[in-house]
Amino acid sequence: MERTAAPTSPPLPDVRGLLDGIPGQRPPPRAEPPAERPAESAPRRRYRIPTPFTLSYAAVLAVTSFVTAHAGPSLVHALHQGSSTDVAHLVRTPVLVLVASALWVAGGFASPFTLGFLAVLTTLERRIGGVRTAVVFLLGHVLATLATEVPVGLAVLVGRLPDSSLHRLDYGISFGVAASVGALAGLLGPWLRGPLLAAFGGMLLQDLIAFTDPLTNWGHLIALAIGVGTWPWLRRLPRTQSGGTKAS
């Protein structure tokens, strides 16, 4: 018997390349862990001193007042005399004594002038800034001092006053405070400006009438007028710098 040849089946096609297309055959892609965001640091709060000039100056006055209260009388007198803006010192070392004389408070840190200093300069600095407040204060202190001491020197020169007037003890912050009051009045409304000038100016006039220290009393009135003279300059300041609406 003849063997019949077994029918040969055709070769199977190569399907290896199709396996990748079957769902579930590829390994799932690795999920990358989300990048960790750097922890945001909490914003730092910067503490801003509202009136740096006034507070710094008050600290200096507190130190000098402490020295005045606890040092020996002879040392205190020597310090005051060396800081005095009398004619003799103004001729020799004008800048030094004009600065040094403003470091002391007549009557100590608890005097009314210290309270006025803190109230007036704090309010003024909030409105016009520390630099302009310092300018107003120094204008009153320097110009009122020169306006009162220069006539003394001239009077001694022509023989109307004795030579001892050249060494008159003169120090303190009162001229600067008076000028600051005058400047602040120009930034207030008319309903506050008038009473402030009337009350402060009336007090200065009473001191002048009492005639206890006419040279200093005239200096206070001059310093007040100097502060009033700064109104045109202060009223031209932008609203963002002056801290409020310009007074009419």
Side-chain angles (χ1 to χ4, degrees):
M1 295 178 61
E2 292 184 2
R3 292 183 181 178
T4 56
T8 59
S9 60
L12 296 175
D14 188 3
V15 293
R16 287 177 298 176
L18 301 176
L19 294 177
D20 293 337
I22 299 176
Q25 296 299 317
R26 289 184 179 178
R30 281 185 188 175
E32 296 291 335
E36 295 182 359
R37 293 183 180 180
E40 296 181 359
S41 58
R44 296 180 180 178
R45 293 183 179 180
R46 295 182 179 180
Y47 181 74
R48 181 175 176 271
I49 301 176
T51 54
F53 170 72
T54 303
L55 294 180
S56 300
Y57 201 166
V60 173
L61 295 177
V63 172
T64 56
S65 298
F66 180 84
V67 172
T68 301
H70 294 85
S74 58
L75 175 59
V76 172
H77 178 75
L79 292 173
H80 288 168
Q81 188 65 52
S83 305
S84 175
T85 50
D86 53 44
V87 177
H89 283 104
L90 287 173
V91 171
R92 294 197 301 267
T93 56
V95 177
L96 177 61
V97 294
L98 283 170
V99 173
S101 63
L103 302 180
W104 306 92
V105 183
F109 196 73
S111 68
F113 272 111
T114 305
L115 180 61
F117 170 90
L118 293 173
V120 173
L121 266 73
T122 296
T123 307
L124 187 62
E125 186 172 356
R126 284 182 177 274
R127 287 176 170 265
I128 66 174
V131 174
R132 294 182 180 92
T133 301
V135 170
V136 171
F137 185 91
L138 288 176
L139 278 176
H141 177 70
V142 173
L143 296 183
T145 297
L146 295 178
T148 52
E149 293 295 342
V150 169
V152 172
L154 295 177
V156 172
L157 189 63
V158 299
R160 299 292 299 272
L161 289 175
D163 291 346
S164 59
S165 300
L166 299 176
H167 303 279
R168 172 181 171 271
L169 192 62
D170 187 15
Y171 65 91
I173 61 173
S174 57
F175 290 170
V177 173
S180 300
V181 172
L184 178 61
L187 300 176
L188 302 176
W191 292 103
L192 292 175
R193 182 189 314 147
L196 176 62
L197 289 177
F200 190 73
M203 182 185 67
L204 298 183
L205 285 174
Q206 286 181 354
D207 292 342
L208 183 61
I209 294 172
F211 212 71
T212 54
D213 190 357
L215 202 61
T216 300
N217 300 145
W218 274 114
H220 290 154
L221 288 171
I222 293 171
L224 179 63
I226 291 170
V228 172
T230 63
W231 287 3
W233 169 54
L234 295 180
R235 289 175 175 177
R236 288 196 300 267
L237 295 178
R239 181 176 301 184
T240 55
Q241 294 179 352
S242 61
T245 305
K246 297 175 185 178
S248 58

